[in-house]
Amino acid sequence: TRNEPRFRIGVSQCSDDEWRHQMNNEMLREALFYDGVEVDIRTVKDDNVRQIEDIRNFIEEGVDLLVVAPNEAAPITPVVEEAYDRGIPVIVFDRKILSDKYTAYIGADNYEIGKAIGRYVVNMLQGQGNVVEISGLTGSTPAMDRHQGFVSAISPYPGIKLLASEDAGWLRSEAGQKMDTLLAHFPQIDVVYAQNDRMAAGAYAVARQKGRAGEMRFIGTDALSGEGYGVEQVLKGELDATFIYPTGGDRVIQMAMDILNKRGFPRETILSTSVVDATNAQIMQMQTTHIATLDGKIETLNGKMNHYLDRYATQQVVLYGSLLV
Ligand code: FRU
């Protein structure tokens, strides 16, 4: 019947933040389009041990497919391999593992994002200036790749100096603390490259508190819409630029259904990205607001449909009951 799932998809999220929430909503909404699919999302707060537990539980519960964003690559690799070896199809998304024992990968190319940001900075500084980097969790592949890409773009320009790169674990308050130290060490900083907008916000707040925000420009990544997030940070002038890091939750569920229904699928799906700065932030915000309205309508429609289906089901029972009398 309608209420028994044909497929159970287990999703293991490494972090709990707005980017993850948007992605989770996209997955749940996309799952509404398929019959008998249950999406079970479990989230940890940047904790390898607890994420390994979540994945092991999914394996033991016998999920039909596992979706995982590994917190740090090295510690999470073995348990993902274990799932794969037990015959559970695995979609790795956003962050990678250190093994090819997975069924498919979906995510943006973080090396290319770092490189695009590096080029943006070279342009902005016209080949001359001091940069500090506030890195995401250095054990996670987006942090490694964004750093490598960034360095590859700026290294041909000896006038651009990367003074320091500090690990702030993708977190706002840690970024603030690291920024405090960086400000104390370096009298001249021209650009702060924070590997996500949340850390950029933390770094900006501390620089402003110290009266130095005006001396430097801030660049982030993610470009989430909504109050207080990346696109708005650009509109407010706190960020010079950010880069879209697509959440792609709908794509993950589509891929899961292709795998479960034994249709063809690409092993690697690279989601595209783009810069958001003062030239396009306004239009980006208008479009995402519009899309959010449409998403809301889809959810309303689904709610109504379920309501009618339930009513139809009870009517049938009533009719059947009356025939028996
Ligand atoms: C969200 C997040 C993003 C970042 C991504 C990297 O949990 O921290 O801010 O771009 O993960 O994996």
Side-chain angles (χ1 to χ4, degrees):
T1 65
R2 202 160 62 83
N3 298 321
E4 274 172 30
R6 270 187 311 141
F7 295 123
R8 280 196 59 221
I9 299 173
V11 180
S12 171
Q13 288 279 22
C14 53
S15 312
D16 193 2
D17 53 56
E18 182 60 18
W19 190 91
R20 304 281 157 193
H21 297 168
Q22 292 199 10
M23 163 158 199
N24 291 347
N25 286 338
E26 289 161 357
M27 286 190 291
L28 296 172
R29 199 185 304 119
E30 184 66 21
L32 297 175
F33 291 96
Y34 304 89
D35 281 332
V37 176
E38 187 185 302
V39 179
D40 186 352
I41 302 171
R42 296 186 193 168
T43 299
V44 300
K45 291 185 194 312
D46 315 300
D47 183 330
N48 297 320
V49 174
R50 295 198 44 215
Q51 187 171 30
I52 291 168
E53 255 170 51
D54 278 353
I55 297 173
R56 189 149 290 133
N57 287 335
F58 277 138
I59 297 175
E60 266 149 35
E61 291 162 25
V63 289
D64 297 293
L65 185 140
L66 180 69
V67 175
V68 52
N71 186 47
E72 290 188 280
I76 306 297
T77 296
V79 71
V80 174
E81 288 185 317
E82 194 181 312
Y84 184 82
D85 284 339
R86 294 242 215 136
I88 301 174
V90 179
I91 298 177
V92 175
F93 75 95
D94 149 46
R95 305 184 184 179
K96 298 188 171 177
I97 53 167
L98 305 179
S99 158
D100 56 11
K101 288 193 171 179
Y102 60 87
T103 312
Y105 171 80
I106 306 184
D109 185 332
N110 283 295
Y111 183 85
E112 282 305 318
I113 289 178
K115 204 164 152 185
I117 294 170
R119 282 199 221 99
Y120 193 93
V121 167
V122 167
N123 237 338
M124 191 164 89
L125 294 177
Q126 298 185 311
Q128 199 71 42
N130 292 339
V131 183
V132 295
E133 179 181 41
I134 299 190
S135 167
L137 192 62
T138 46
S140 67
T141 60
M144 305 173 194
D145 295 345
R146 287 176 198 178
H147 173 74
Q148 295 295 334
F150 184 73
V151 168
S152 85
I154 62 166
S155 58
Y157 301 88
I160 306 258
K161 297 208 167 55
L162 181 58
L163 300 176
S165 180
E166 290 287 329
D167 184 345
W170 302 116
L171 301 171
R172 182 188 166 117
S173 64
E174 278 191 42
Q177 286 161 22
K178 296 290 157 115
M179 189 64 194
D180 201 39
T181 317
L182 290 167
L183 288 168
H185 269 78
F186 302 109
Q188 197 190 333
I189 299 171
D190 301 303
V191 170
V192 178
Y193 165 36
Q195 286 187 1
N196 70 12
D197 297 339
R198 193 164 57 243
M199 295 190 294
Y204 177 86
V206 167
R208 205 173 77 159
Q209 200 188 313
K210 303 267 159 178
R212 287 183 59 187
E215 301 164 21
M216 56 197 75
R217 289 185 279 185
F218 294 79
I219 295 185
T221 296
D222 283 349
L224 292 178
S225 54
E227 219 181 299
Y229 301 111
V231 176
E232 203 182 85
Q233 287 168 266
V234 172
L235 286 172
K236 282 198 292 192
E238 294 183 6
L239 282 184
D240 250 63
T242 177
F243 283 71
I244 296 172
Y245 190 54
T247 40
D250 49 342
R251 300 286 295 274
V252 168
I253 294 301
Q254 285 161 19
M255 169 85 57
M257 295 317 292
D258 284 342
I259 294 171
L260 288 166
N261 289 309
K262 313 256 181 277
R263 292 190 286 263
F265 62 90
R267 192 167 138 85
E268 311 282 327
T269 301
I270 304 304
L271 304 174
S272 49
T273 177
S274 188
V275 64
V276 177
D277 62 11
T279 66
N280 61 2
Q282 184 75 44
I283 193 161
M284 169 98 179
Q285 205 190 37
M286 282 166 59
Q287 297 288 2
T288 47
T289 306
H290 181 63
I291 291 169
T293 314
L294 296 179
D295 283 343
K297 289 188 179 182
I298 290 174
E299 275 157 24
T300 306
L301 211 61
N302 184 267
K304 286 197 176 191
M305 223 165 71
N306 282 337
H307 177 71
Y308 289 130
L309 286 172
D310 285 344
R311 216 158 68 177
Y312 177 66
T314 32
Q315 273 170 3
Q316 276 192 321
V317 171
V318 170
L319 185 65
Y320 183 64
S322 66
L323 285 178
L324 284 180
V325 205

